[in-house]
Amino acid sequence: MGTVPSALKHCLSYQHLLKEQLWIAEPPAAAHPAQEPQASGLPEYIKIVEVGPRDGLQNEKVIVPTDTKIELINQLSKTGLPAIEVTSFVSSKWVPQMADHKEVMRGIERHPGVQYPVLTPNLQGFHSAIAAGATEVSVFGAASESFSKMNINCSIEESIERFEEVTKSARNMNIPVRGYVSCALGCPYEGKVVPDKVAEVSKRLYSMGCYEISLGDTIGVGTPGSMKKMLEAVMKEIPLSALAVHCHDTYGQALANILTAIQMGVAVVDSSVAGLGGCPYAKGATGNVATEDVIYMLNGLGINTGVNLCAVMEAGNFICTALNKKTNSKVAQASFSTGTTN
Amino acid sequence: ASGAYPKRVKVVEVGPRDGLQNEKNVVPTPVKINLINMLSETGLQVIEATSFVSPKWVPQMADHTEVMQGINKLPGISYPVLTPNLKGFQAAVAAGAKEVSIFGAASELFTKKNINCSIEESLERFDEVMRAAKEANIPVRGYVSCVLGCPYEGKISAAKVAEVSKKMYSMGCYEISLGDTIGVGTPGSMREMLAVVMKEVPVGALAVHCHDTYGQALANILVALQMGVSVVDASVAGLGGCPYAQGASGNVATEDLVYMLNGLGIHTGVDLQKLMDTGTFICNALNRKTNSKVSQASCRL
């Protein structure tokens, strides 16, 4: 519409816009008169769980050196993120990208008030994690038998038994355990996944002692429609405060799905800085939703996260440079490309 | 908040105009015609075909007459064209246009930079078009740019958006498409803006035109749907970058929108596979990757 060239010459650069527009760059100030999150039914505060260093890097083609991982996590620790998933204590035979789990765990700065959970697929991994200094762990279940079989070579029931060993030990040591349920909105092998199955697996994980259940749309096929149905089923079994959503943006639906979840009261959202981590089931497609884009949305909704968006973008810029790749965050893309400056 | 959704949504396809106009590469006339013809086979009811604006300003749309005359006009499908003034309107009608669009803005500075006049002056220009259109029985769609933010002014008041929308609606536009021109809007600002606009313009006459520059488009559209809006603009393959942020994306991809609406059980009449095939065609012609995530994911496994 109209003369683009002259528009480019004179408009504000996005960096400038960021500095000017509170709602873009910073978390909302308290009691913003125009925003009434309570009235709109949305949570006042949302906990962001940053999974970039684990879920993200695990699914990137390029493997980064240990020092780079540590630097990334240290940068993320300064952004205000309350939880950062650091690494995975799984056999390096299966997941070579996480082979340096001990070094990473021991090498990072531990900021007070920040949690540093690690994945522990079984008791052996759990012990290894504790020895390396972990103070919170995660276990990964799935709502699909086929996925469970293909991913960890056992049935859902068998995986639950393995996790029970972990949660029992964890309880004895006062270590909180987070439970993940994969394929909550669809499975790359089975296709459709029944909400009741998601509820059933979630309930098992919650009953065995997981303090939080993160419901993962592993292949990103979910939409606000299927998200709503799934959450309705799960909310019958698990208290809202113990639920989190872990949305993949493979079909571009992540933010809309997250919005649906928070409209239903979910107050914990997983995301990955710079949208690190492609989808192993769809070549070239994206995976995790970008933390920057989530925070941008939550800021605009007047929801507090405690996270500094600019700081996250900088961490994203750092890791993308190290990985020699473009960011998957649209906010970062729009913000680092200034067009022309005046 | 997450109440009932509309049962049907009308998708307005702006790829051939808004999309191609904002692409770096220019495609030849036959490619544009083929694009529109393919889109006509997908079930889309409205396809914005071209812009009758001087080629001095918008060279990508210089072939507007040939495109308008060259496309297959299928019954039941509308092919609106942009007409910035009376001259453009007359040229459009002469070339066979049966529906036109006019572009206003909620920002004085944007209007000045874009078309070198004030909002008031731009509406006077459109008045001429409205009168001629009324006489010729040609429906006019009104666009309001910068509804959630302006690249020059920054924050835009919802009251201003409502004022401009109301004026254009009163002038005779049958529909007002509210455009988040630089994609800075969020579900928060979308809700706030619509609440104010809906006091002045009936929701049945409202459409949203969201840009995905900050990845917020589908979430913003979701909120609009929740508030009763049932007309959504989108661009096949997400054609059309943002002229204000080099390398950033612009229009939301029609494929991704339809995927979401399908998942919500909302009827659009659009065949997603045919749409994706059309996106593949135009991306090959433009020698670029698609901006549609659905399309990206579907070439897989």
Side-chain angles (χ1 to χ4, degrees):
Chain A
M1 329 163 244
T3 34
V4 167
S6 67
L8 266 174
K9 258 189 267 171
H10 299 290
C11 93
L12 300 168
S13 72
Y14 269 126
Q15 302 282 41
H16 184 78
L17 201 64
L18 275 181
K19 293 201 182 84
E20 294 268 282
Q21 309 308 332
L22 250 182
W23 79 82
I24 293 178
E26 287 165 27
H32 194 280
Q35 259 108 21
E36 292 163 312
Q38 304 95 318
S40 64
L42 298 173
E44 278 180 40
Y45 169 80
I46 286 187
K47 178 175 93 171
I48 306 264
V49 175
E50 171 60 47
V51 300
R54 203 285 305 167
D55 193 357
L57 292 184
Q58 181 172 316
N59 287 298
E60 285 291 330
K61 277 179 301 206
V62 177
I63 299 188
V64 293
T66 309
D67 287 340
T68 305
K69 286 180 189 162
I70 290 171
E71 176 60 26
L72 170 65
I73 294 164
N74 289 345
Q75 286 195 25
L76 290 169
S77 289
K78 299 191 178 106
T79 62
L81 283 162
I84 302 165
E85 196 177 67
V86 167
T87 187
S88 184
F89 281 78
V90 69
S91 162
S92 48
K93 189 173 51 157
W94 299 125
V95 187
Q97 301 92 323
M98 300 285 125
D100 54 1
H101 38 66
K102 288 202 196 90
E103 293 88 324
V104 172
M105 199 69 222
R106 292 205 186 107
I108 56 172
E109 290 163 11
R110 307 272 275 247
H111 288 234
V114 183
Q115 297 302 321
Y116 298 95
V118 300
L119 247 71
T120 52
N122 48 39
L123 196 58
Q124 191 193 12
F126 175 78
H127 288 313
S128 199
I130 299 301
T135 49
E136 178 175 329
V137 301
S138 309
V139 294
F140 257 82
S144 151
E145 285 293 353
S146 312
F147 187 85
S148 195
K149 197 110 191 81
M150 293 297 218
N151 227 34
I152 51 178
N153 202 22
C154 65
S155 69
I156 296 178
E157 191 57 45
E158 286 165 336
S159 74
I160 298 275
E161 281 161 28
R162 266 182 225 174
F163 302 147
E164 266 167 340
E165 295 187 317
V166 173
T167 52
K168 229 179 286 161
S169 288
R171 199 174 324 159
N172 288 340
M173 306 179 66
N174 247 329
I175 300 265
V177 182
R178 186 186 213 227
Y180 281 89
V181 180
S182 303
C183 298
L185 297 176
C187 169
Y189 310 104
E190 286 181 13
K192 213 161 151 59
V193 171
V194 174
D196 283 344
K197 188 70 184 176
V198 183
E200 182 196 315
V201 177
S202 304
K203 186 175 186 179
R204 296 293 297 278
L205 290 173
Y206 186 68
S207 312
M208 75 169 72
C210 292
Y211 75 93
E212 194 169 87
I213 307 298
S214 176
L215 305 162
D217 183 12
T218 306
I219 46 172
V221 289
T223 63
S226 56
M227 172 63 84
K228 181 161 194 274
K229 288 201 183 98
M230 183 275 294
L231 282 176
E232 277 167 352
V234 175
M235 278 159 63
K236 288 194 190 124
E237 308 291 345
I238 316 270
L240 201 44
S241 56
L243 289 179
V245 288
H246 182 112
C247 296
H248 279 198
D249 203 38
T250 320
Y251 288 77
Q253 308 294 304
L255 285 187
N257 293 343
I258 289 166
L259 181 64
T260 301
I262 66 180
Q263 283 178 341
M264 291 173 78
V266 171
V268 184
V269 176
D270 299 359
S271 60
S272 177
V273 61
L276 291 182
C279 180
Y281 305 98
K283 224 164 141 79
T286 55
N288 286 301
V289 68
T291 306
E292 297 92 317
D293 301 0
V294 172
I295 292 174
Y296 185 92
M297 179 173 82
L298 297 180
N299 283 355
L301 281 163
I303 295 173
N304 189 27
T305 62
V307 183
N308 183 317
L309 176 53
C310 287
V312 176
M313 283 202 283
E314 277 165 23
N317 193 34
F318 162 76
I319 191 61
C320 286
T321 306
L323 283 164
N324 194 26
K325 67 167 275 185
K326 273 194 173 136
T327 181
N328 269 338
S329 155
K330 288 208 161 168
V331 170
Q333 251 173 272
S335 307
F336 283 115
S337 50
T338 54
T340 45
T341 46
N342 12 357
Chain B
S2 47
Y5 288 100
K7 290 208 166 48
R8 316 180 84 91
V9 162
K10 179 173 82 172
V11 177
V12 174
E13 172 60 46
V14 301
R17 204 283 308 167
D18 193 356
L20 292 184
Q21 182 172 319
N22 288 298
E23 284 291 324
K24 275 181 305 210
N25 297 332
V26 183
V27 291
T29 310
V31 172
K32 285 183 186 152
I33 289 171
N34 196 34
L35 168 65
I36 295 166
N37 289 345
M38 285 183 79
L39 289 167
S40 292
E41 300 289 335
T42 61
L44 284 161
Q45 295 170 271
V46 186
I47 302 165
E48 196 177 67
T50 186
S51 183
F52 281 78
V53 69
S54 162
K56 188 171 52 157
W57 299 125
V58 186
Q60 303 92 321
M61 299 285 125
D63 54 2
H64 39 65
T65 305
E66 294 92 318
V67 170
M68 203 62 215
Q69 287 172 341
I71 56 176
N72 296 337
K73 299 211 188 84
L74 298 196
I77 302 183
S78 187
Y79 300 91
V81 300
L82 248 71
T83 52
N85 48 39
L86 189 59
K87 189 166 105 159
F89 174 80
Q90 286 160 343
V93 174
K98 298 270 186 295
E99 178 176 331
V100 302
S101 308
I102 57 175
F103 260 83
S107 154
E108 285 291 356
L109 216 46
F110 185 86
T111 305
K112 191 113 193 80
K113 301 284 195 188
N114 231 31
I115 52 179
N116 202 22
C117 63
S118 69
I119 295 179
E120 190 60 45
E121 287 166 337
S122 75
L123 293 177
E124 277 161 32
R125 263 183 227 175
F126 297 144
D127 217 34
E128 297 187 307
V129 176
M130 297 308 306
R131 250 176 285 138
K134 207 168 299 175
E135 248 166 79
N137 242 330
I138 298 228
V140 182
R141 187 186 213 228
Y143 282 90
V144 181
S145 304
C146 298
V147 300
L148 297 177
C150 169
Y152 309 102
E153 288 186 16
K155 205 159 158 59
I156 293 289
S157 85
K160 190 71 186 177
V161 181
E163 182 196 319
V164 177
S165 305
K166 183 182 187 174
K167 285 215 177 99
M168 294 179 79
Y169 184 66
S170 314
M171 280 163 64
C173 293
Y174 76 92
E175 195 167 87
I176 305 296
S177 176
L178 304 163
D180 181 12
T181 307
I182 46 170
V184 288
T186 63
S189 57
M190 172 64 85
R191 180 177 295 277
E192 194 188 311
M193 184 274 296
L194 281 176
V196 177
V197 174
M198 279 162 60
K199 291 197 185 117
E200 308 292 342
V201 181
V203 71
L206 289 177
V208 289
H209 182 112
C210 297
H211 278 197
D212 204 39
T213 319
Y214 287 77
Q216 309 294 305
L218 286 187
N220 294 344
I221 289 166
L222 192 69
V223 162
L225 295 173
Q226 288 172 352
M227 292 177 77
V229 172
S230 62
V231 184
V232 182
D233 300 0
S235 176
V236 63
L239 293 182
C242 179
Y244 306 97
Q246 203 154 70
S249 60
N251 286 300
V252 69
T254 314
E255 299 92 316
D256 300 359
L257 169 66
V258 171
Y259 185 91
M260 180 173 84
L261 297 176
N262 285 352
L264 279 161
I266 295 174
H267 181 260
T268 62
V270 179
D271 181 322
L272 183 52
Q273 186 57 56
K274 286 195 181 146
L275 189 58
M276 287 198 284
D277 292 343
T278 309
T280 303
F281 161 75
I282 191 61
C283 286
N284 286 342
L286 282 163
N287 193 27
R288 60 158 286 174
K289 278 198 173 127
T290 182
N291 265 342
S292 155
K293 289 209 163 168
V294 169
S295 223
Q296 254 173 272
S298 305
C299 331
R300 58 160 145 93
L301 277 160

